[in-house]
């Protein structure tokens, strides 16, 4: 994706002053969309061109996307050629496809030809295979080769995410020669702030910032001013690892090399921001047991799609909840004898679920940011288990007196308190352990999130509670007698 105005290009002051009084991005889009629809409905096409001239491409794209479908192609055709290409790259995939259907064949080919390679590949990922084959066949030989190369890499890897539009230099070139190359190729590349140095076989040998190049003596060789220690990623590196590398080193772009260390492309920070948003969306959906789609299109999906994406996991959780019902049914004798025990099942299940959810949340976040690495996985589980034990002890101070009073017996309070301590410890351990286990197995740790932890602790917690109450009911009087506790206390201790 090419950088918007204000990044690599000095902004045109005549274009930015018009929007200085606009209070927010959303207000810009709403105002532009409303005026745009009004002008198109009355045929004021010259007014549309004047209206869109000072607006940033990303805001134009959002405004066009909010128009009725019949007006989208008309508004898009009124854009200047260079602006239309940039606006198209910011449109949502469904709107991009709709425009391809409505534009003439020549317009479509010109639009796709001028797109940056990484954005063209993302568009092709959304199109039917038949349409992709037709568009590929009509591209120029150079663009066809680049696009086919990117499509050949696995999805969600650096190779699929990268662009081939970068500036590479040679060690023997002078700073003056390099500046001439940068000026000549600046408009056709993603970013000029990072310049890459390669040898005759395209092996990456160094990197040079634009600042270092500008401040170097014109006669200095590139090999003398470049940095030879280059951080790079491989074409098969997962996109999350690429995002972490750019975040860790504060890069605007990171070079991508093949197995022979040949430079094949770069991944820019704007594409990484999209990756971070995509991964965060997936993790949030997984945390809520919702099946993630290819895009964050939940509120644009129809109700049947929404139901389909949620019913799978909900069905699994409902089936798992059957086990809780069976546990209660198998221990009905205890509940018949002491009916008030049933009143505390929701309290224990809810507390265990909340503690487990807290532990799973912090561990999943730690895995995502890799902050858990310094502590170690085993120590992290022990730490969370200890925290669960401490939380159980603290909550016993509140719960046991209430259970004693409400159950009209110290044994009810003791059953609830003992079970609470065991459940919070177990829930914290499971909440920390399951995501780490999933991560070790190569699965998404976010799958072991709040709904699953809650369901598991419901089953196990209910079993612990009822079995504890059953054991105390049968053995507590004998234990008190054996230990010589007074008959007065024994008379008090009853269900």
């Amino acid at each position: 994706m090419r950088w918007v105005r204000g990044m690599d290009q000095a902004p045109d002051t005549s274009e930015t002053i018009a929007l200085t009084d606009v209070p927010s991005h959303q207000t810009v889009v709403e105002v532009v969309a409303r005026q745009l629809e009004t002008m198109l409905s009355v045929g004021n096409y010259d007014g549309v061109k004047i209206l869109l001239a000072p607006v940033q491409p990303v805001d134009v794209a959002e405004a066009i996307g909010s128009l009725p479908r019949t007006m989208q192609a008309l508004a898009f055709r009124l854009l200047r050629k260079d602006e239309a290409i940039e606006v198209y790259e910011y449109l949502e995939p469904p709107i991009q496809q709709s425009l391809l259907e409505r534009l003439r064949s020549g317009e479509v080919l010109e639009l796709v030809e001028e797109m940056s390679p990484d954005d063209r590949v993302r568009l092709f990922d959304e199109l039917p295979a038949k349409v992709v084959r037709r568009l590929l066949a009509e591209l120029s030989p150079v663009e066809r080769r680049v696009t086919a190369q990117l499509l050949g890499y696995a999805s969600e890897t650096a190779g699929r995410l990268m662009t081939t539009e970068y500036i590479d230099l040679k060690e023997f070139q002078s700073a003056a020669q390099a500046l001439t190359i940068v000026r000549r190729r600046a408009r056709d590349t993603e970013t000029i702030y990072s310049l890459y140095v390669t040898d005759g076989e395209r092996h990456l040998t160094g990197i040079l910032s634009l600042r270092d190049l500008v401040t170097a003596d014109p006669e200095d060789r590139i090999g003398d001013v470049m940095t030879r220690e280059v951080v790079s990623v491989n074409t098969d590196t997962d996109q999350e690892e690429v995002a972490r590398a750019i975040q860790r080193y504060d890069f605007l772009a990171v070079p991508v090399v093949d197995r022979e260390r040949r430079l094949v492309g770069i991944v820019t920070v704007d594409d990484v921001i999209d990756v971070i948003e995509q991964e965060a969306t997936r993790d949030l959906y997984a945390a809520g047991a919702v099946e993630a789609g290819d895009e964050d299109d939940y509120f644009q999906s129809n109700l049947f799609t929404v139901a389909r994406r949620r019913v799978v996991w909900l069905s699994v959780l409902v089936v798992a909840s059957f086990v809780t019902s069976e546990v209660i049914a198998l221990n009905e004798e205890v509940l018949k004898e002491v009916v008030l025990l049933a009143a505390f099942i929701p309290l224990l299940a809810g507390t265990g679920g909340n503690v487990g959810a807290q532990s799973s949340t912090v561990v999943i976040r730690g895995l995502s940011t890799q902050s858990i690495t310094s502590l170690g996985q085993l120590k992290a589980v022990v730490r969370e288990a200890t925290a669960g034990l401490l939380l159980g002890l603290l909550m016993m101070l509140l719960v046991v007196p209430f259970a004693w009073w409400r159950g009209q017996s110290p044994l009810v309070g003791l059953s609830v308190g003992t079970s609470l301590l065991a459940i919070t410890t177990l829930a914290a351990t499971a909440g920390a352990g399951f995501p780490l286990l999933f991560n070790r197995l190569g699965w998404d740790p976010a799958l072991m999130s709040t709904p699953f932890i809650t369901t598991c602790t419901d089953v196990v917690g209910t079993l612990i509670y009822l079995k504890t109450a059953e054991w105390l009911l049968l053995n507590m009087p004998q234990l008190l007698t054996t230990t010589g506790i007074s008959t007065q206390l024994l008379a008090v201790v009853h269900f």
Side-chain angles (χ1 to χ4, degrees):
M1 184 180 292
R2 292 183 173 84
W3 296 76
V4 298
R5 284 176 225 147
M7 297 294 290
D8 276 354
Q9 303 172 15
D12 185 344
T13 55
S14 66
E15 294 184 351
T16 56
I17 293 175
L19 295 177
T20 53
D21 296 329
V22 178
S24 70
H25 150 76
Q26 195 57 40
T27 304
V28 171
V29 174
E30 291 174 356
V31 170
V32 171
R34 187 166 54 250
Q35 295 184 6
L36 186 58
E37 184 172 357
T38 300
M39 291 178 178
L40 289 173
S41 62
V42 298
N44 185 5
Y45 303 142
D46 290 334
V48 169
K49 295 178 181 179
I50 295 173
L51 172 68
L52 297 181
V55 184
Q56 291 289 334
V58 64
D59 294 327
V60 174
E62 191 169 343
I64 290 177
S66 65
L67 291 174
R69 193 170 181 181
T70 54
M71 290 185 176
Q72 290 173 353
L74 179 57
F76 187 79
R77 280 195 174 102
L78 294 174
L79 297 172
R80 300 190 311 271
K81 176 185 173 182
D82 57 339
E83 187 176 14
I85 295 166
E86 196 168 2
V87 168
Y88 188 81
E89 293 177 348
Y90 285 109
L91 291 170
E92 294 295 325
I95 300 174
Q96 289 180 330
Q97 294 183 44
S98 175
L99 287 177
L100 287 182
E101 295 170 1
R102 292 171 178 270
L103 296 176
R104 293 189 298 270
S105 178
E107 293 175 313
V108 171
L109 181 59
E110 185 177 15
L111 186 66
V112 175
E113 176 82 23
E114 295 297 326
M115 291 179 71
S116 58
D118 53 335
D119 288 308
R120 187 188 303 128
V121 167
R122 276 193 285 275
L123 171 64
F124 283 5
D125 281 337
E126 301 292 333
L127 295 175
K130 183 178 180 180
V131 176
V132 171
R133 286 193 295 269
R134 178 174 61 82
L135 291 175
L136 269 175
E138 294 177 353
L139 288 174
S140 65
V142 174
E143 295 299 331
R144 187 189 312 127
R145 177 181 57 80
V146 170
T147 305
Q149 176 190 0
L150 297 184
L151 287 172
Y153 295 112
S155 61
E156 300 187 357
T157 62
R160 197 63 166 264
L161 192 64
M162 72 182 183
T163 180
T164 56
E165 294 179 338
Y166 58 88
I167 296 178
D168 59 325
L169 306 171
K170 303 300 179 184
E171 292 189 35
F172 60 79
Q173 292 171 338
S174 67
Q177 290 174 320
L179 277 173
T180 302
I181 294 172
V182 171
R183 292 190 189 98
R184 185 174 68 248
R185 297 175 57 187
R187 293 187 178 276
D188 299 322
T189 187
E190 286 262 358
T191 177
I192 63 172
Y193 291 131
S194 297
L195 310 170
Y196 305 96
V197 184
T198 59
D199 60 17
E201 297 179 350
R202 298 196 351 263
H203 294 111
L204 181 62
T205 59
I207 189 172
L208 181 68
S209 70
L210 182 62
R211 174 184 295 177
D212 291 339
L213 178 61
V214 171
T215 57
D217 188 280
E219 301 302 321
D220 285 345
R221 289 175 61 254
I222 295 300
D224 296 330
V225 296
M226 72 179 188
T227 301
R228 294 189 180 274
E229 294 75 26
V230 185
V231 176
S232 61
V233 296
N234 294 322
T235 53
D236 57 355
T237 301
D238 186 85
Q239 62 181 13
E240 283 192 86
E241 294 297 326
V242 178
R244 290 194 189 103
I246 288 182
Q247 181 184 35
R248 179 181 179 85
Y249 297 105
D250 292 328
F251 287 158
L252 290 177
V254 63
V256 183
V257 297
D258 61 16
R259 294 181 180 179
E260 284 74 37
R261 291 283 301 171
R262 289 191 296 261
L263 181 63
V264 293
I266 62 171
V267 176
T268 54
V269 68
D270 59 327
D271 293 323
V272 163
I273 291 173
D274 295 338
V275 169
I276 294 172
E277 182 180 359
Q278 177 187 4
E279 297 295 340
T281 299
R282 288 181 180 177
D283 289 345
L284 285 173
Y285 281 168
V290 177
E291 181 184 340
D294 294 331
E295 301 286 337
D296 187 12
D297 59 350
Y298 185 86
F299 293 103
Q300 283 73 47
S301 303
N302 60 58
L303 288 177
F304 291 104
T305 302
V306 168
R308 178 184 58 79
R309 289 168 60 175
R310 297 170 66 173
V311 72
V312 175
W313 293 117
L314 284 177
S315 300
V316 173
L317 295 175
V318 167
V319 171
S321 298
F322 292 164
V323 182
T324 305
S325 302
E326 286 299 314
V327 169
I328 295 174
L330 292 173
N331 292 272
E332 60 179 341
E333 294 301 324
V334 179
L335 295 175
K336 285 181 180 178
E337 189 163 347
V338 189
V339 177
L340 277 174
L341 286 173
F344 294 96
I345 293 177
L347 182 150
L348 295 171
T351 302
N354 290 335
V355 172
Q358 289 176 335
S359 294
S360 67
T361 299
V362 296
V363 169
I364 291 171
R365 180 58 181 166
L367 288 171
S368 176
T369 61
Q370 294 188 323
S371 59
I372 201 172
T373 306
S374 59
L375 180 62
Q377 296 187 359
L378 181 59
K379 289 184 178 180
V381 174
V382 173
R383 176 187 174 92
E384 285 303 309
T386 306
L389 178 64
L390 179 60
L391 289 170
L393 290 171
L394 293 174
M395 286 186 288
M396 281 179 65
L397 300 176
L398 178 64
V399 172
V400 171
F402 174 76
W404 188 328
W405 166 78
R406 191 67 186 85
Q408 300 178 355
S409 169
L411 283 182
V412 173
L414 187 59
S415 298
V416 173
T418 305
S419 301
L420 179 65
L421 186 63
I423 290 169
T424 54
T425 305
L426 181 64
T429 305
F434 281 141
L436 291 172
L437 176 62
F438 270 44
N439 185 64
R440 178 65 64 88
L441 295 174
W443 301 339
D444 186 358
L447 291 174
M448 191 50 61
S449 53
T450 302
F452 292 94
I453 296 295
T454 302
T455 303
C456 292
T457 54
D458 282 354
V459 175
V460 179
T462 302
L463 180 62
I464 291 174
Y465 174 50
L466 295 179
K467 288 301 180 183
T468 301
E470 181 182 16
W471 188 88
L472 289 174
L473 177 64
L474 295 174
N475 298 287
M476 198 63 181
Q478 291 85 345
L479 288 175
L480 290 174
T481 304
T482 303
T483 54
I485 295 180
S486 68
T487 55
Q488 291 181 344
L489 179 58
L490 183 60
V492 174
V493 181
H494 67 279
F495 279 90

